[in-house]
Amino acid sequence: SKIRNLEVQNADDVAVLEDCTDSSSAKTISKIEEKLKKGGLPDCLDDDVIPQVGNEIGAEAQIRFLKAKLRVMQEELDSVVCEYRKKDEENQNLKSRLKVTEEENTRLQRKISMQHSQTEKYKMLVQEANKKSEGLQQEVIALQKVLQ
C-alpha cells in the first residue's frame, strides 16, 4: 500500500511538456471516472496493470493508482508525439535542404561542363596560335638569311 502511494505521488510530480500536450489526458480521466461511477470497477483490473498486491488495497487506491498510471502514460504519449513532430519537421527541413543542394549541384555541373568546353576551345586556339607562330618564326629566319 505504501508502495502504491509512492507511485501515485511520483506520478503526480511528473512534468508535462507544455508546448506539445493537449487536454486529452484530462478528458480520458474524466471519461474513466464517469464509467467508474456508473458501473463500478472495470473487469480488466486483474491483468498486469495492478500487480497481485492490487487485490489487497481498496477501490479508491486502485482508482488513484490507475489514474496516475494513465496520466504518466498520457504524458509519455504526448512526449513521443512531440518528439515525432520535431523529427518530422527536421525531416522536412532536411528534404528542402537536399532539394536546394541538388539544384545547386545541377547548376554547378552545367557550369563545369560549360567551362570544360571553353577550356577545350581555348586549347585549340592556343595550338593554332602556336602553329602560326612557328610558321612566322620560320619565315623570319628565311628572310634573315635572304638579307645576309
Side-chain angles (χ1 to χ4, degrees), residues 2-20:
K2 289 181 182 178
I3 294 172
R4 296 258 181 240
N5 289 337
L6 286 175
E7 287 177 344
V8 170
Q9 184 178 1
N10 288 341
D12 289 338
D13 295 338
V14 174
V16 178
L17 295 174
E18 301 268 336
D19 61 339
C20 298

Side-chain angles (χ1 to χ4, degrees), residues 13-138:
D13 295 338
V14 174
V16 178
L17 295 174
E18 301 268 336
D19 61 339
C20 298
T21 59
D22 51 24
S23 61
S24 60
S25 62
K27 290 177 185 177
T28 307
I29 290 173
S30 64
K31 286 179 183 178
I32 291 174
E33 286 175 341
E34 289 175 17
K35 288 180 182 179
L36 288 174
K37 287 179 185 176
K38 291 179 182 177
L41 291 174
D43 295 334
C44 63
L45 286 180
D46 55 323
D47 61 6
D48 287 339
V49 174
I50 298 180
Q52 297 296 337
V53 184
N55 296 330
E56 298 172 9
I57 61 174
E60 283 294 316
Q62 287 180 353
I63 291 171
R64 284 194 311 271
F65 173 76
L66 290 173
K67 283 182 183 178
K69 191 156 184 94
L70 176 65
R71 198 174 305 116
V72 169
M73 291 176 74
Q74 186 65 45
E75 289 169 357
E76 289 175 357
L77 175 64
D78 292 342
S79 175
V80 168
V81 167
C82 180
E83 185 176 336
Y84 168 78
R85 287 180 183 150
K86 287 178 183 177
K87 294 290 183 183
D88 188 49
E89 183 179 318
E90 181 181 352
N91 190 24
Q92 293 300 324
N93 288 338
L94 289 173
K95 281 182 180 179
S96 65
R97 284 180 49 196
L98 177 64
K99 184 178 179 183
V100 168
T101 304
E102 287 174 343
E103 289 171 356
E104 179 74 8
N105 187 26
T106 303
R107 186 183 65 78
L108 290 174
Q109 288 293 337
R110 276 184 276 158
K111 191 172 184 177
I112 287 171
S113 177
M114 284 178 24
Q115 289 177 346
H116 183 66
S117 64
Q118 284 180 346
T119 303
E120 291 299 318
K121 178 182 170 184
Y122 290 134
K123 282 182 183 178
M124 296 286 286
L125 289 174
V126 166
Q127 286 176 354
E128 288 177 17
N130 283 339
K131 286 180 184 178
K132 189 175 182 179
S133 173
E134 286 176 13
L136 290 173
Q137 284 178 352
Q138 288 176 359

